[in-house]
Amino acid sequence: MMKRLQLPLRSSENGFLLILMLVQGFVVLTILMGVMTLGLYNLGAAKRSTYTTNAVYAAEAGADRFMYEINQSGSYTGTNTVCPITSSGSNPVTLYSNAQGRATYETCVTSGTIANEKIVYAVGKVYAPASSVTPKSTKKVRLIIEGTPSGGYVIQTGPGGLVMSNSATITTGPVYVGGFLTMSNSSRIGSAASPVAVSVANQRCPVPVNATWPQICPMGTQNNPITITNSARIYGDTKANGQITTTGLSNPGLTEASGVAAVTLPDYDRDGQKAAVPAGPVHNISGSAASCSGSQAKTWPANVKITGNVSLSNSCNVTLSGNAWITGTLSLSNSSQLRLAAGVTTTPTVMIDGSGGITMSNSSVVATNTNGIGANFITFYSTASCSPDCSTVTGSNLNSSMNVQTVSINNQGLAASSTFYARWTALTLSNGGNIGAIMAQKITLSNSGNITFGSSSSGGSSSWDVRYYEAL
């Protein structure tokens, strides 16, 4: 049998295979280097992102601490002696220091452009390793905060009670509820660090309603005026007539189940204000003449009577010189502003008689003057035949009136140092806002994680709240 002839490879073929192997090796090496470079870049980016995020958290922690301290003492000025923050006057506070690194914050404060306003700066720095003297990341935040002078109850209701839902939060107090208190979803009064005193009178008897209504319910009748569901909670000293269940109450929780007095909502000298209106066209104007829109600016004289409905809209400005009496309704919307005149030193009262009362919406503002003066808004409508000039409303008339809404504040209405009072009716506050105090026969708070009120329980002369946040 013929054997297969085997010939050796030629040298040129040997060279070709060698070149091919070298090219393949170079390609593989290039890919590996690219993957390694990309991996190292992504690792570095991840580290930088972590440093940046932690620096922001450190700055915000400093801002949070500043807010806590200034609400304990209105003279608190932050950690640093120079503001805005520079290398001078530096006094950093170490937030944490461990094997992964170190984080610090610094804070300072300057006066704002209007009364009761301050500008807070906070700087967060992250170092790695912890012994490093040069930060890996530095981040700054700026807050504009507004103070509300201390007063009485920040919330006071009649027998209609207080209803809180969604994320509605009351951060300062004290709170007085004449009837019942209902809380649901994640609504909250106070916090573990800053409890708020709550008193509930359970003044909602007899049932059914008769001419003697409202009275405090005797023990055993209409028990548990506080109802808390979902994750809602009250942190604070809670006193409630007839309360048996303690669900959702802490710090210290329910301390008394009797003895809460029936506190009458305050009266007002309505007749005196009406009589103080001078004769003549200057102090007796129509609702259309008092209204404004767009770039308009108007001034209401002190002791003015406005006949009809008043509308402030689209960033217009009205200066309030003193007491005002509106026979119709008052509406503020779309960044409109009602500002107290510079020379006003006593809080004026705006009386509103119309069944629609007062509405604030879409970032409208009641601005204080340089003396820190706001305004008191009182609606007088009721379902009684004597409305709006009733001296008292009780029984079935009050029971029906307390469900009529005459004060509505929503979509970030701002009125620090101002009080809103629905004398015989209901008030609704939703979607945020900064309010001095609210009073009504019935109050509903909803859809609001950042409602803030003035306070008499704060350690400082004012209760300070964040009006604006900015990352620099």
Side-chain angles (χ1 to χ4, degrees):
M1 180 180 294
M2 183 179 294
K3 294 184 178 180
R4 180 179 294 175
L5 181 63
Q6 295 180 347
L7 299 174
L9 292 172
R10 290 176 295 181
S11 60
S12 61
E13 292 176 340
N14 285 330
F16 175 77
L17 290 176
L18 179 61
I19 293 172
L20 181 61
M21 291 175 65
L22 288 173
V23 170
Q24 289 177 336
F26 178 76
V27 171
V28 172
L29 180 61
T30 301
I31 293 173
L32 290 174
M33 290 180 65
V35 171
M36 291 176 63
T37 301
L38 180 60
L40 290 173
Y41 175 82
N42 287 339
L43 178 61
K47 287 184 175 180
R48 288 191 295 272
S49 178
T50 300
Y51 294 144
T52 299
T53 300
N54 287 345
V56 171
Y57 288 160
E60 291 181 341
D64 286 343
R65 185 65 188 185
F66 182 95
M67 293 304 299
Y68 171 80
E69 293 292 348
I70 198 170
N71 275 300
Q72 302 306 306
S73 172
S75 61
Y76 183 68
T77 58
T79 65
N80 289 19
T81 58
V82 176
C83 202
I85 293 172
T86 64
S87 58
S88 302
S90 178
N91 187 25
V93 175
T94 299
L95 189 61
Y96 66 81
S97 182
N98 52 39
Q100 286 72 42
R102 174 168 55 95
T104 66
Y105 67 77
E106 301 169 64
T107 58
C108 70
V109 63
T110 62
S111 299
T113 57
I114 63 175
N116 296 324
E117 181 183 81
K118 294 180 183 290
I119 301 174
V120 179
Y121 296 89
V123 172
K125 297 179 181 179
V126 171
Y127 301 82
S131 59
S132 176
V133 296
T134 301
K136 289 288 187 181
S137 181
T138 300
K139 288 296 177 182
K140 303 176 182 179
V141 299
R142 180 169 70 100
L143 308 178
I144 297 178
I145 64 175
E146 193 164 15
T148 301
S150 300
Y153 298 116
V154 299
I155 292 181
Q156 183 179 356
T157 84
L162 173 62
V163 179
M164 299 177 63
S165 63
N166 303 109
S167 58
T169 302
I170 299 171
T171 56
T172 53
V175 173
Y176 178 88
V177 179
F180 60 90
L181 170 58
T182 300
M183 300 176 65
S184 61
N185 306 113
S186 58
S187 58
R188 177 173 56 82
I189 298 177
S191 66
S194 300
V196 168
V198 177
S199 299
V200 181
N202 199 15
Q203 187 187 12
R204 48 181 176 154
C205 285
V207 179
V209 173
N210 63 26
T212 67
W213 190 89
Q215 301 178 44
I216 293 177
C217 297
M219 184 64 73
T221 303
Q222 299 290 97
N223 280 346
N224 292 314
I226 301 177
T227 303
I228 298 178
T229 58
N230 307 115
S231 59
R233 179 169 288 275
I234 298 175
Y235 297 91
D237 184 1
T238 304
K239 300 177 175 63
N241 295 333
Q243 187 69 24
I244 298 173
T245 63
T246 58
T247 302
L249 305 176
S250 61
N251 294 52
L254 183 66
T255 58
E256 294 183 24
S258 63
V260 179
V263 177
T264 304
L265 287 167
D267 201 357
Y268 179 71
D269 185 8
R270 172 180 169 84
D271 291 337
Q273 181 168 335
K274 290 170 60 176
V277 177
V282 173
H283 292 87
N284 292 267
I285 61 178
S286 67
S288 59
S291 299
C292 69
S293 180
S295 59
Q296 289 182 312
K298 295 187 177 182
T299 297
W300 295 351
N303 297 313
V304 65
K305 177 184 179 181
I306 303 172
T307 303
N309 299 331
V310 179
S311 174
L312 280 58
S313 63
N314 301 321
S315 302
C316 77
N317 285 271
V318 167
T319 299
L320 179 63
S321 304
N323 289 345
W325 171 24
I326 300 173
T327 65
T329 61
L330 174 61
S331 171
L332 292 84
S333 63
N334 300 326
S335 301
S336 60
Q337 187 170 111
L338 182 63
R339 179 179 292 275
L340 275 296
V344 175
T345 57
T346 302
T347 303
T349 295
V350 180
M351 300 194 310
I352 304 163
D353 293 351
S355 60
I358 178 173
T359 301
M360 284 187 68
S361 63
N362 300 325
S363 301
S364 52
V365 176
V366 178
T368 60
N369 61 13
T370 55
N371 298 313
I373 302 298
N376 295 330
F377 298 88
I378 308 179
T379 63
F380 282 94
Y381 174 80
S382 73
T383 60
S385 59
C386 54
S387 177
D389 292 315
C390 301
S391 59
T392 184
V393 178
T394 58
S396 59
N397 284 328
L398 180 58
N399 185 261
S400 60
S401 296
M402 72 181 190
N403 292 306
V404 178
Q405 178 177 290
T406 61
V407 179
S408 176
I409 306 169
N410 59 71
N411 297 326
Q412 297 296 327
L414 299 177
S417 300
S418 291
T419 298
F420 294 83
Y421 182 15
R423 181 68 180 95
W424 311 113
T425 48
L427 178 153
T428 298
L429 181 56
S430 62
N431 298 322
N434 188 322
I435 310 299
I438 54 177
M439 296 181 290
Q441 298 296 332
K442 179 179 181 179
I443 293 175
T444 300
L445 306 181
S446 65
N447 300 322
S448 309
N450 60 340
I451 297 173
T452 51
F453 300 96
S455 171
S456 61
S457 60
S458 169
S461 59
S462 294
S463 173
W464 293 93
D465 302 294
V466 178
R467 194 180 73 192
Y468 178 77
Y469 167 93
E470 179 184 17
L472 301 177

